[in-house]
Structures are given as C-alpha cells and as structure tokens.
Amino acid sequence: MKIIAALKKNPMLVALVAVMLLFQVLIMASGKGSLFAPRNITNLIAQNGYVIILATGMLLCILTGGNIDLSVGSMVCLVAAIGGTLIVKMNVDIYLSIAICLAAGIFLGAFQAFWIAYMRIPAFIVTLAGMLAFRGLALVLLQGRTIAPFPQAYTVYFGSFLPAGATPNLKLTVSLITGIVLCAVLLTVESYKRISKIRKKYEVEAYTWMVSRLFIICAVIMGAFYSFGKDRGVPVVLILLGVVVLVYYYYTAKTVPGRYLYAMGGNEKAAKLSGVNTNGMMFFAYTNMGFLAAVAALVCMARFNSSFPDLGRSYELDAIGACFIGGASAYGGVGTVGGTLVGTIFMGVLNNGMSILGIDMNWQQAVKGAVLLSAVAVDVISKKRKTAA
Amino acid sequence: MKNTLLQLSGIGKQFPGVRALDGVSMDVAEGEIHALVGENGAGKSTLMNIISGIYPYGSYEGDIIYDGETCRFSKIRDSEKRGIVIIHQELALVPYMTIAENMFLGNERGSMFDIDWDETYAKADEFLNIVGLVGLEESSHTLIKDIGVGKQQLTEIAKALAKNVRLLILDEPTASLNEHDSQKLLDLLLQFKSQGMTSILISHKLSEVSQVADRITILRDGRTIETLTKGDDDMSEPRIIKGMVGREMTSRFPTREPKIGDVTFEVKNWTVYHPQYEERKVCSDVNFNVRRGEVVGISGLMGAGRTELAMSVFGKSYGQDISGELFVNGQKVRLRTVRDAIDKRLAYVTEDRKGNGLILSNSIRINTTLANLAKVSRLNHLDVELESRVSNEYREKLRVKCSGVEQDVGNLSGGNQQKVLLSKWMFTEPDILILDEPTRGIDVGAKYEIYKIINDLVGEGKSVLMISSEMPELLGMCDRIYVMSEGRIVSEFTREAASQEAIMASILGSTAVSKGE
C-alpha cells in the first residue's frame, strides 16, 4: 500500500522509469545497442547539463507566480559571445574571462528583473524583448560568425573527464570509489537525520522503507559511476551540476527566502501582508536566472568548443518544458528542484532514445510536444480529482 | 391595488456553513418602488442574485412567480429576457469602451457578424436622452473611464432601458454618488415610476428610502421581518432602524473582567487617499487609540473606510499620500512596510482570509509560521521540525479541527481557516492586534471560540482593535466603540453608552449631515 502511495506521489518518476524501460526494450529489439550503455550515460549528462542549470533558474521564476523567462537562450548566446571574444580573440586570462561572463549574466538578469519586479511590466513581455535584443547584441559581437576553437586550458574546466589521461582500469577504480564515497556520505547524512529525529521524538519513516529507498538511490549512483568508469571517466561538468542542484535544492526547501518564494507564488497578497518583500523576491529570481544562464553559457562554450550565432536557440523552451513536466504549477507556488531534475532527465531520455532509434527529427518534435501537454494534463486532472474527493 | 408583478415565497439559500436566506417572502406590485433594507449580511444582495438568475434555479429553495408565471432562471440572460435587470453596486462597465458600446454589450445591434454601429450610437443617444445624460458635453462616443461615477451609474440605467426593462433592481445605487447625483437618480426613478416601471431599491440611506419608496421590506438575518406601506405605516427612519436591528440576542459572548491599562497604540490626524483616484480621500483626519487589555470596536457600513484605515496603518498596505502620526506605547513610529509594522508588534488579521490572508494550497504549518519565519530559523536555515511543533501547539491551543498540521488550509472550514489565520498572527507575538471582521462567514459555535481567543489575548495584556459589521458582536465584545462613516470617525461610545439604535443613528445621521452640506 505504502509503495503505491509513494508512487502516486511521484507520478513523473514512475513515468521516467517506464519511458527508460520502453526505450531500452525498443533499442535492444532493433539491435542498436543499449540506452544504458556507458557511453550513452555520459552523453546523456553532457547533452542535458545546460538544461538542468537553466531549468533550475527557470523554476525560481515560475515559483514567483507562473512567470517564465523567454530570454535565457539569447542570454546564453550573448554571454558565450562575450566569453568567446575575451578568451579566443583577445586572449584574456581564463579566470578573469569566466568572472566577466558571470558578471555579464548577472547584469543582464538584473536589468530585466528591474523592469519586471519594480516597474511591474509583465515578465513575458520584458523577456520577449530580452530574447530579441540579447540575440541581436550577440550577433553584433560575433559579427555573424563562429568563434572557435577554445583553448584546452578553458575546455578542461567544463568538458573533460576525471581522472585525466589514466588507464581504463584506474578510471574504473577511481569512478567506483567516488561512487562509494557518495553513497557513504548519503547514508551517513540520512542516518544522522533519522537518529536526531528519533532523539527529538519526531515521527520517522518505517525502517524497511528507508532502507529500500536508500538502496535504490545507491544502486542508481553506483550504476552511473560504473558507466563513467567504463567510458571516459567522471565528467567534470557533473560536479558543477551536482553543486547547482544541491545549492538550489537547499535554497528552495530549507531556507527562509526559499519559503517566501513559494508563499509569493501561492498568494502574493497574503505574502505581502505577512511582511514578505515580494518585489525583492521577484528581482532576485530574475537576476539569478541571468547568473545561471551565464553558467550554462560557460558549459555550452566548452561542450561545442565554440561560440556561434545560433547557440542557445530554443533553450528557454527546454528549460520551461522541464519545469512543467517536473510538476511545477503554471500559476506559481508549486514545484521542486528534484521534480525539475526528473523533468529534465525525462526530456533528455526522450531526445536521446528517439535519436538512437533513428526517429526523424521532425517527428521527435511532435512527440515532445505531445508529451509536454499530456504530462501537464495528467497533473492538472489528478489535482482536480484530489480536490473533488 | 395594482397587479403583483413579482412574488417570492419561501426563498431559502444555503452557503457552505451559513444559511444566508431562510423562508423569505415578499411581493412587488407593478409600478411601485419597493425598497429593501437590512444590515450588512442580512441577505439583500443574495436575494436579488436569486431573482436575477445569478444563483440558478435549483441552488435555492422556494418559488419566484413573475408576471403570473413560476420562473426557473438558470442564468442572467433568462431573467433579462423577461425584463428583469439588476444594477450592481460595483458597476459592470468596461472602462476602455464607449458609453454606447457598454450600453449594448451583450445586446448588440445588427447581426452576429455585422454590428450596426450607426444604430448602436443612435439608439444610445436616444436612451441617454431619457436618463438626462445628453445635453452635457458627453456623447455616446465618450469612453466610460472619462466620465464620473454618477454618470456611469446613469449609463447603467440607460443600459437597462435598452434591454426593455420591466423590473429594475438597483443595489446601493447612490453609495458612491454625491448629493446632487443621488437626487438626480432618485428623481429619475420617480419619473420611471410615473411611466409604469417597477423598481426594487436596495439602500442603506434611509432618508432616500423614506423619500421615494411606496413600500419597504426589512430583511434581518436572512428572514423577512416586515413590510411597511406608505400611508398605512410609519415610514420614518427611527421606525425602519428599529426593524433592522431589533433582534433578540441569539449569539452569546464569553464574559471578561476588563483590566485596562495605558494607551498602547494611537493614531493621530490620519488621512489616506485612494490608490487609483488621487483626489479621493478614503480616510480623513482620523484619530483613535487603544489601551492595554482593551477591545476597541470600529463600526460602520461597508465602504466607510474601516479596512482601508487598518491597512494603511499596517505598513502602508493601502492607499497613497498617507499623512498623520502613529504612536506605539507613547513613542512616535513610522511604519513604511509591513515588516516595520510586524517589528513594532502590530498584527493585521485581514477580513479576506482567502484572498489576502492564507495560502490555500499550503499546509497549516507553512501558513502558521509565514509572518515570523525568523522564529523558526537560524541564519535563514529553516527548522522544519520546530515549525511542526509550534504549529501543533497553536492547533491545540485554538482547537483547529484538522487531520494534522500538514493538511492544506484550503480544505478546512471557514471557522478553522480563521483560527489558522489567528494562529499565524499570534505567532508574530503582537501587542496590538487589528482584527478585521474576525467572524465573517463562520458559524455560531466557531464565533464563540474566536471571542474566547480575543478575550484571552486582551487578558494577556494585548490590545485588540476589532472591525466588524455585526453590531451585536461589537456590543458584546468591545469596551469602546468608534463609529466610522465616509472615511471619518463620527462618534465614540463607551460600553455603557453604546446601543444598536444609537450606533445606527450615528452612522445614518452623519450620512444625512454630510449630504446636506
């Protein structure tokens, strides 16, 4: 019973597992290898790293009240254009260039945030304007051409694998040890939380339940790190993603400003009358989006080893889609970083699986559209049923 | 006796937790002006919404017999087809459309795919002529936003005429009009009457009612109390007031031994302007104070400016161009934001718990702590367990009926929601609580519990300012009562001097005086 209840609570997680299994069966049946092949797991991470970063920022914007940011794709392109110009064309110091890129992202975000939060111009309009303007500025900076290649001294920070240049055996050992360490940390933290809860006489989940939950999580972690070890090693970008996800998970779930963000999306007037600086929260959400767009730009520059005019095209839609598939409410106030992560992986697996199967790109688009609508529809309908009951 | 145009028999209406109407019967004769009076919440607007089909057939009990036929309206269109038109207190006009476009909105001239604008404007001018709007500088091409409230009201009436109205229902038509415009509107009603039209007039302004009505039906607590007929009955204001307030005390109040101390909160020369209409004063030169351990009431009709006063005091949450001085424990303070107000230990418990008070989609725990997260966090890190514990304490203390503190407040009954809202503000540890309609829309049992909580609060030495439209509640709970009317404090009563008649007379008297100016 408990298992069913838990599954009902996380319908997208169930759907994700189902889709993964479906693709695995289809891919194996058509003799095109495996979705879970080591190389493919690494690819999945590389292909979707920027989406995770952008979707996390987008989630904060959506939480404020269903507001979205259409300009993130263009911001990625503009920041990448700045980065390319500095690093490749002007040979500026790499750390300084990274700092300037991040500052540029924060500035672009803050500029839009000012109009949205303090002038109360609808976010849709401000960011639509940003989408056009930033893309235009990027094209001006790039002069319509591609800047490439980036020096290895730069790409090593976002596109390489650890341990670098080691033998396959050493790679596998290091990967597995990293996986074991992560699992150990997870187990320690969870046990500590449980013990302190018991000591304070709070309710805790059933022991068997906790063990099986942690077992599954550890199995997934070990599986992933085994794959990394078998392939090229642990992707460096994974560390960055881990940090972003953890920091924003903590911010949304455990902090006072995070709580204000949800309160604002749930009922802005009530939040205001409870002393929440709603304009300030809105300003933060959009400024932060600019910052994360810059982070995503740094990742993209390394991944594509270039800055080009079409970079970041329709990234905003990937990010928005991931949030909504991950259970964020289009009216704000509902959604989690964990859900967004599941949503991103879901979209990623869908893309990746269909590509392996060799499905026509145009059909892929159509399928993704249908999935987005049905995911949100299922969410809305199940909520309606819940309130009716 | 003329024909009966409309007959209501045994009308009842149940809202979740509240019985709004109970066996209401009245009849309206063809060609008369029939006034409907009663206190806030007596059920006047609900009754009119039933007649006009806003509450469809099946959602209420009883029969509506109109023009000899039993009617089963399922939407407004149905009643309008029969010539019943209602003009609400909140005007239903689109600001960026012209007078004529508004007048024929939903009733367009020409055909579905080809609006005849020439006819629209010609007809509009014709009707405007009847209500006396033509001859002024406005034409039917003027945008609604560019004309004053009085003219907007006349536009509404012209719109009703364009629908071939037989029975015109006006809900507080003169509430926002000045003396001149009000008189013009009343004259118009009398003129229509002479042409055979029937109207139902809902109004708080009893002088107007006495002036134009042929008959007056008094509603109280969702029941018809009596109908007064011109010529047969005394239709003076005191007589009407007696009918409106003369109820037995059905609800009881917990007793409290007042222990009143020094003045804790004082407001001096407080003036607030409307947030949109810069020239409109919502509160004008208001002075009041509250003492330690004291419950002070503010009485007044809807729109008197009570909520606006409270919100403007509470960190300037309402209005613009606010002037005046605030003193907390004798010290002058400036409260620029809600946060300032909370820090000075003020709390404002809103009248609109769903719209302004609670986050319905969130749990009791999250709602309880929202206004004082500092108390359950360290360095911005939330202690969820501590949150659960404190919200559980309040749940037990205020006896909130729920499955647990993780239940969403949207699924609670009104009374329990109100308790959660009170928990939220008690959790900010205020010294001065402003309670705006603390018992609106909740049942008698829950009301009694809220009263007990209020008594406990002042027992602890806090000060309570209670805004309420229910006079027995103010009389039963308050040590002092201020009466507010049209943005001003017009009188102050001690517990001993206060009575329903005195307060009502004070409100209505001040209205008459200011109209006479």
Side-chain angles (χ1 to χ4, degrees):
Chain A
M1 284 314 286
K2 255 187 176 167
I3 296 173
I4 295 170
L7 293 182
K8 266 193 180 160
K9 251 174 123 182
N10 302 300
M12 278 325 292
L13 204 54
V14 179
L16 175 61
V17 173
V19 165
M20 280 179 158
L21 293 177
L22 174 71
F23 274 117
Q24 178 67 358
V25 169
L26 289 176
I27 290 168
M28 301 249 288
S30 59
K32 285 174 176 156
S34 164
L35 185 72
F36 300 108
R39 171 126 257 172
N40 198 42
I41 297 284
T42 308
N43 279 346
L44 262 174
I45 303 234
Q47 283 165 4
N48 294 291
Y50 73 89
V51 187
I52 291 176
I53 297 169
L54 293 176
T56 309
M58 192 66 76
L59 177 70
L60 301 198
C61 297
I62 290 174
L63 285 179
T64 61
N67 301 300
I68 52 175
D69 188 334
L70 292 173
S71 71
V72 296
S74 297
M75 274 198 281
V76 166
C77 187
L78 179 52
V79 172
I82 294 171
T85 310
L86 290 172
I87 296 171
V88 180
K89 280 193 168 166
M90 297 166 67
N91 285 320
V92 177
D93 176 66
I94 284 172
Y95 299 107
L96 181 62
S97 303
I98 290 176
I100 292 174
C101 284
L102 293 176
I106 291 171
F107 173 77
L108 296 177
F111 176 74
Q112 296 195 109
F114 167 76
W115 296 106
I116 296 166
Y118 295 108
M119 297 294 121
R120 288 282 156 172
I121 299 177
F124 189 91
I125 295 169
V126 173
T127 59
L128 182 65
M131 178 175 157
L132 298 170
F134 299 155
R135 175 74 59 187
L137 291 176
L139 288 172
V140 170
L141 206 56
L142 292 169
Q143 293 164 319
R145 288 193 289 268
T146 298
I147 298 179
F150 277 82
Q152 218 208 336
Y154 173 78
T155 53
V156 74
Y157 288 109
F158 298 97
S160 68
F161 298 89
L162 288 176
T167 60
N169 266 338
L170 181 62
K171 273 185 181 166
L172 186 58
T173 324
V174 171
S175 281
L176 287 177
I177 289 175
T178 317
I180 290 168
V181 169
L182 282 180
C183 289
V185 169
L186 176 73
L187 293 176
T188 321
V189 169
E190 288 279 330
S191 317
Y192 173 77
K193 260 167 56 184
R194 188 182 174 87
I195 291 167
S196 91
K197 267 193 182 186
I198 291 172
R199 195 180 299 143
K200 291 185 196 158
K201 299 201 167 65
Y202 292 130
E203 212 177 318
V204 288
E205 57 184 342
Y207 187 69
T208 48
W209 183 240
M210 171 176 157
V211 169
S212 45
R213 185 171 61 90
L214 289 177
F215 178 78
I216 294 173
I217 296 175
C218 288
V220 170
I221 292 177
M222 289 313 294
F225 277 86
Y226 173 78
S227 304
F228 299 145
K230 275 293 192 189
D231 189 37
R232 285 159 289 180
V234 182
V236 177
V237 73
L238 188 69
I239 301 169
L240 179 67
L241 297 182
V243 170
V244 167
V245 167
L246 279 180
V247 165
Y248 286 90
Y249 161 73
Y250 178 79
Y251 175 81
T252 51
K254 307 274 184 193
T255 70
V256 172
R259 176 68 59 79
Y260 286 164
L261 212 54
Y262 285 94
M264 185 182 167
N267 185 343
E268 184 166 353
K269 282 192 217 157
K272 219 171 182 173
L273 278 177
S274 304
V276 176
N277 179 356
T278 48
N279 289 354
M281 293 309 300
M282 187 76 109
F283 184 81
F284 169 77
Y286 277 91
T287 307
N288 175 71
M289 184 74 253
F291 167 70
L292 284 179
V295 174
L298 295 176
V299 172
C300 288
M301 275 150 62
R303 174 165 150 69
F304 300 117
N305 200 13
S306 63
S307 299
F308 53 95
D310 231 19
L311 181 63
R313 182 83 66 194
S314 84
Y315 281 11
E316 59 278 352
L317 303 181
D318 291 333
I320 295 166
C323 287
F324 288 138
I325 288 181
S329 159
Y331 305 105
V334 177
T336 61
V337 171
T340 302
L341 188 60
V342 170
T344 312
I345 299 175
F346 190 93
M347 289 286 264
V349 167
L350 213 57
N351 275 330
N352 180 271
M354 288 193 292
S355 298
I356 296 176
L357 287 173
I359 294 173
D360 179 59
M361 276 305 288
N362 305 325
W363 275 109
Q364 289 195 20
Q365 290 258 1
V367 171
K368 281 197 292 186
V371 166
L372 177 61
L373 182 63
S374 33
V376 178
V378 165
D379 194 45
V380 169
I381 292 164
S382 72
K383 261 179 206 141
K384 252 189 196 156
R385 210 171 281 163
K386 226 197 258 169
T387 49
Chain B
M1 190 74 198
K2 292 170 191 166
N3 300 334
T4 300
L5 179 65
L6 175 75
Q7 190 185 353
L8 304 174
S9 59
I11 302 285
K13 171 83 186 169
Q14 182 77 34
F15 287 115
V18 189
R19 184 119 186 110
L21 292 176
D22 195 10
V24 170
S25 298
M26 66 184 277
D27 55 277
V28 179
E30 181 129 39
E32 74 168 344
I33 297 179
H34 195 118
L36 191 62
V37 299
E39 284 188 282
N40 293 341
K44 298 165 301 204
S45 296
T46 309
L47 187 62
M48 292 307 111
N49 286 342
I50 287 174
I51 297 173
S52 62
I54 292 174
Y55 297 135
Y57 176 78
S59 70
Y60 59 89
E61 303 134 36
D63 290 316
I64 302 173
I65 300 161
Y66 176 74
D67 203 11
E69 268 179 67
T70 304
C71 296
R72 296 180 169 187
F73 301 132
S74 60
K75 52 184 187 293
I76 303 177
R77 279 283 165 87
D78 296 349
S79 67
E80 285 186 349
K81 256 185 221 151
R82 305 293 308 271
I84 302 176
V85 178
I86 185 164
I87 298 176
H88 293 278
Q89 192 175 353
E90 309 282 327
L91 299 180
L93 298 169
V94 185
Y96 287 94
M97 284 188 177
T98 64
I99 292 178
E101 282 175 299
N102 267 288
M103 223 188 271
F104 289 98
L105 193 61
N107 183 23
E108 282 78 8
R109 301 294 89 192
S111 72
M112 179 66 109
F113 299 103
D114 182 23
I115 294 177
D116 186 341
W117 290 113
D118 294 333
E119 191 193 338
T120 302
Y121 283 98
K123 282 260 183 197
D125 283 331
E126 207 175 287
F127 287 116
L128 287 180
N129 207 359
I130 297 175
V131 300
L133 251 182
V134 162
L136 307 167
E137 59 270 42
E138 279 85 14
S139 78
S140 54
H141 288 273
T142 313
L143 296 182
I144 286 293
K145 71 175 180 66
D146 295 332
I147 63 176
V149 175
K151 286 170 185 166
Q152 289 181 1
Q153 189 67 259
L154 293 176
T155 306
E156 279 276 17
I157 293 175
K159 182 177 172 182
L161 294 178
K163 288 173 184 163
N164 298 319
V165 58
R166 264 185 90 185
L167 173 62
L168 181 65
I169 303 171
L170 300 119
D171 192 353
E172 297 280 355
T174 59
S176 48
L177 301 190
N178 60 30
E179 169 71 1
H180 176 75
D181 286 344
S182 299
Q183 195 53 52
K184 205 160 138 191
L185 192 139
L186 295 175
D187 290 343
L188 202 58
L189 280 187
L190 289 170
Q191 183 198 324
F192 290 155
K193 181 186 144 187
S194 67
Q195 292 160 3
M197 200 171 85
T198 315
S199 348
I200 298 178
L201 172 69
I202 300 177
S203 181
H204 276 306
K205 297 185 181 171
L206 300 186
S207 56
E208 297 174 3
V209 169
S210 313
Q211 184 196 336
V212 299
D214 297 305
R215 287 197 293 164
I216 301 172
T217 293
I218 299 171
L219 277 187
R220 188 202 306 155
D221 295 336
R223 294 164 188 272
T224 29
I225 300 304
E226 54 191 339
T227 299
L228 308 173
T229 310
K230 198 170 207 161
D232 297 351
D233 297 295
D234 176 11
M235 279 178 51
S236 65
E237 286 180 49
R239 173 69 188 82
I240 302 172
I241 292 175
K242 191 175 153 232
M244 283 165 69
V245 300
R247 80 186 103 185
E248 294 94 343
M249 293 286 259
T250 46
S251 51
R252 304 269 313 253
F253 302 93
T255 53
R256 164 172 57 92
E257 196 60 43
K259 276 181 246 142
I260 296 170
D262 299 333
V263 171
T264 49
F265 185 58
E266 185 157 21
V267 173
K268 282 187 181 166
N269 307 321
W270 197 255
T271 299
V272 180
Y273 287 86
H274 194 276
Q276 272 97 45
Y277 307 108
E278 288 173 17
E279 72 289 353
R280 210 158 107 198
K281 263 190 200 178
V282 183
C283 298
S284 172
D285 216 8
V286 170
N287 291 284
F288 70 89
N289 62 51
V290 197
R291 300 191 181 90
R292 186 178 305 282
E294 189 182 33
V295 180
V296 173
I298 300 185
S299 179
L301 298 173
M302 270 178 219
R306 296 168 299 165
T307 296
E308 292 79 359
L309 170 66
M311 287 183 69
S312 62
V313 166
F314 190 65
K316 301 193 173 175
S317 306
Y318 174 90
Q320 62 175 347
D321 213 357
I322 300 170
S323 61
E325 293 174 325
L326 301 175
F327 297 88
V328 174
N329 294 322
Q331 277 189 318
K332 191 176 167 183
V333 294
R334 303 187 72 176
L335 308 176
R336 286 191 195 84
T337 62
V338 173
R339 189 39 63 192
D340 288 349
I342 294 173
D343 290 344
K344 292 287 179 215
R345 298 191 175 273
L346 253 71
Y348 169 69
V349 181
T350 173
E351 59 172 338
D352 179 7
R353 59 177 167 264
K354 291 187 177 181
N356 290 341
L358 298 167
I359 302 173
L360 296 177
S361 56
N362 282 357
S363 66
I364 295 174
R365 167 175 63 81
I366 288 174
N367 275 286
T368 304
T369 55
L370 182 63
N372 192 12
L373 284 177
K375 207 169 144 193
V376 290
S377 65
R378 229 179 57 207
L379 299 172
N380 272 342
H381 174 86
L382 284 171
D383 185 343
V384 177
E385 270 107 32
L386 182 62
E387 256 193 312
S388 296
R389 209 168 59 210
V390 295
S391 47
N392 251 315
E393 277 167 23
Y394 279 98
R395 179 184 70 100
E396 281 163 22
K397 196 164 150 192
L398 271 59
R399 299 204 285 147
V400 180
K401 282 190 209 89
C402 59
S403 61
V405 293
E406 293 304 323
Q407 189 177 347
D408 285 352
V409 292
N411 301 331
L412 299 175
S413 72
N416 285 309
Q417 285 181 349
Q418 191 66 29
K419 287 182 188 173
V420 174
L421 189 59
L422 275 171
S423 312
K424 167 177 165 179
W425 288 105
M426 284 160 71
F427 186 62
T428 64
E429 302 176 324
D431 290 333
I432 301 131
L433 284 104
I434 306 172
L435 308 181
D436 197 348
E437 303 284 358
T439 64
R440 173 179 288 174
I442 65 180
D443 61 70
V444 180
K447 277 184 182 176
Y448 187 81
E449 292 191 52
I450 300 276
Y451 298 145
K452 280 216 304 213
I453 295 166
I454 294 174
N455 279 349
D456 290 346
L457 287 169
V458 291
E460 292 165 18
K462 300 183 188 309
S463 310
V464 170
L465 188 68
M466 183 157 114
I467 298 170
S468 175
S469 296
E470 290 186 38
M471 251 187 258
E473 173 175 289
L474 290 176
L475 293 168
M477 289 297 297
C478 298
D479 301 303
R480 250 183 326 138
I481 298 173
Y482 288 102
V483 178
M484 214 172 157
S485 176
E486 301 183 344
R488 294 167 191 277
I489 301 261
V490 291
S491 53
E492 180 184 346
F493 294 94
T494 59
R495 186 177 200 125
E496 295 71 34
S499 70
Q500 297 202 39
E501 285 79 3
I503 292 174
M504 194 49 110
S506 167
I507 294 172
L508 300 168
S510 72
T511 310
V513 169
S514 72
K515 289 297 159 207
E517 280 171 0

